[in-house]
Amino acid sequence: MQNVSIKGFIYAALSSATFGLAPFFTISLLLAGFSSFEVLAYRWGIASLTLVVFGIMLGETFRISRKDWGTVFILSLLRAATSFSLVIAYQNISSGVASTIHFMYPLAVALAMMGFFGAGLLSSGKIDFEGGNTTIGLIAAGLSVFFYGGYIVGVRKSRAVQIPSTALTCYVMGLGALFFIIGGYLTGGIRLANDTYTWLNILGLALPATAISNITLVKAIKYIGPTLTSIFGALEPLTAVVIGCLIFNESFTPASAIGMALIITAVTVVVVHEKKKESES
């Protein structure tokens, strides 16, 4: 039992740390002129193909029952909506702010007021995207809280818990890629990346920040559950804030530090309290 918990903690920490790299690669592609749909189509498409190869090499099965497809489809919608709302947030507020708000998903409703108070202190120093709107950015990041929270609970509390981790993640990503490809073609098409710098950003986004982060997330949830997994989510906004400050020159003021501390402290208190209640029951 202890070995299972240790594995779960390692997977959760790895998932959060690698997912925190997503803003860097995403913003780099957006600044290069790629649309939200283009960025996400490349991200999820390449990640899902990578997991297919990975699964085949390990001899894992991708066969799931007809009853499981409905669950996979709903989970893919939630996961795709999470990514899309975060990209919109990155375009309107700083990546550190968006990632920190996103970290509030364990609170979803219970601490909404406290969470958005902390977010308000954070909301400055965004990347200079033309036409950026702080209100839209905050709303988009806030929506990601609920989409991602629904995805995590769904993985643990639905038929998805019986589906092999690699297969589940692959199907969720594959369907997500299809959604974004359709969205791309309906809004101007998807261009072919043709230079080394762009492909390095695409591969960075698709492999460590997506394939690795998502497969380890699913494994963490199955080993230690959504509550403990969410505690390790603190590594995600920390990684994003550091990258935002060092790479994109996003400002990090005392107010930003207070806002971030409020959110991380609130989330940690709530999830620890909920875990204690679960243990007592």
Side-chain angles (χ1 to χ4, degrees):
M1 185 67 178
Q2 186 176 4
N3 288 337
V4 169
S5 296
I6 292 174
K7 283 184 179 179
F9 296 147
I10 293 173
Y11 282 131
L14 183 59
S15 174
S16 296
T18 52
F19 188 76
L21 297 171
F24 169 71
F25 297 113
T26 300
I27 292 172
S28 296
L29 290 169
L30 291 172
L31 290 173
F34 284 80
S35 70
S36 302
F37 285 119
E38 287 177 310
V39 171
L40 293 171
Y42 275 114
R43 176 184 184 181
W44 294 106
I46 293 175
S48 59
L49 290 174
T50 300
L51 284 178
V52 168
V53 174
F54 177 74
I56 291 174
M57 289 174 61
L58 294 181
E60 297 191 18
T61 178
F62 288 90
R63 182 177 300 174
I64 63 175
S65 68
R66 290 184 180 179
K67 293 181 179 179
D68 290 334
W69 276 109
T71 300
V72 169
F73 183 77
I74 293 173
L75 289 176
S76 67
L77 283 176
L78 289 170
R79 196 65 187 86
T82 302
S83 291
F84 187 71
S85 56
L86 275 175
V87 170
I88 299 301
Y90 295 154
Q91 291 174 301
N92 290 279
I93 57 178
S94 73
S95 59
V97 174
S99 296
T100 305
I101 295 174
H102 175 65
F103 175 63
M104 292 191 298
Y105 61 84
L107 303 177
V109 176
L111 291 178
M113 290 302 294
M114 182 177 182
F116 277 104
F117 171 69
L121 291 174
L122 277 163
S123 53
S124 61
K126 72 181 183 65
I127 302 297
D128 188 20
F129 283 104
E130 185 178 351
N133 186 297
T134 300
T135 302
I136 291 176
L138 289 172
I139 292 173
L143 287 174
S144 77
V145 173
F146 296 97
F147 293 139
Y148 196 55
Y151 173 75
I152 286 183
V153 172
V155 169
R156 180 63 181 235
K157 300 296 183 181
S158 70
R159 296 178 60 88
V161 75
Q162 304 170 5
I163 304 174
S165 300
T166 303
L168 174 63
T169 310
C170 182
Y171 286 130
V172 166
M173 288 183 180
L175 286 171
L178 180 61
F179 299 151
F180 295 129
I181 289 171
I182 293 173
Y185 275 106
L186 291 176
T187 56
I190 295 178
R191 78 196 80 177
L192 179 64
N194 55 12
D195 64 272
T196 303
Y197 175 76
T198 299
W199 273 108
L200 286 175
N201 281 301
I202 289 173
L203 293 176
L205 181 61
L207 301 182
T210 305
I212 293 176
S213 66
N214 278 273
I215 190 68
T216 50
L217 172 70
V218 171
K219 285 183 176 292
I221 294 171
K222 290 185 177 182
Y223 276 124
I224 59 175
T227 302
L228 285 176
T229 300
S230 65
I231 294 177
F232 283 84
L235 293 174
E236 174 193 324
L238 289 174
T239 304
V241 167
V242 170
I243 289 176
C245 293
L246 295 180
I247 306 298
F248 297 112
N249 296 317
E250 295 178 354
S251 60
F252 189 71
T253 64
S256 300
I258 293 171
M260 187 172 181
L262 277 173
I263 292 174
I264 293 177
T265 300
V267 171
T268 303
V269 168
V270 169
V271 294
V272 169
H273 177 67
E274 290 300 314
K275 188 62 181 177
K276 184 178 179 181
K277 285 172 58 179
E278 289 176 10
S279 301
E280 291 174 351
S281 345

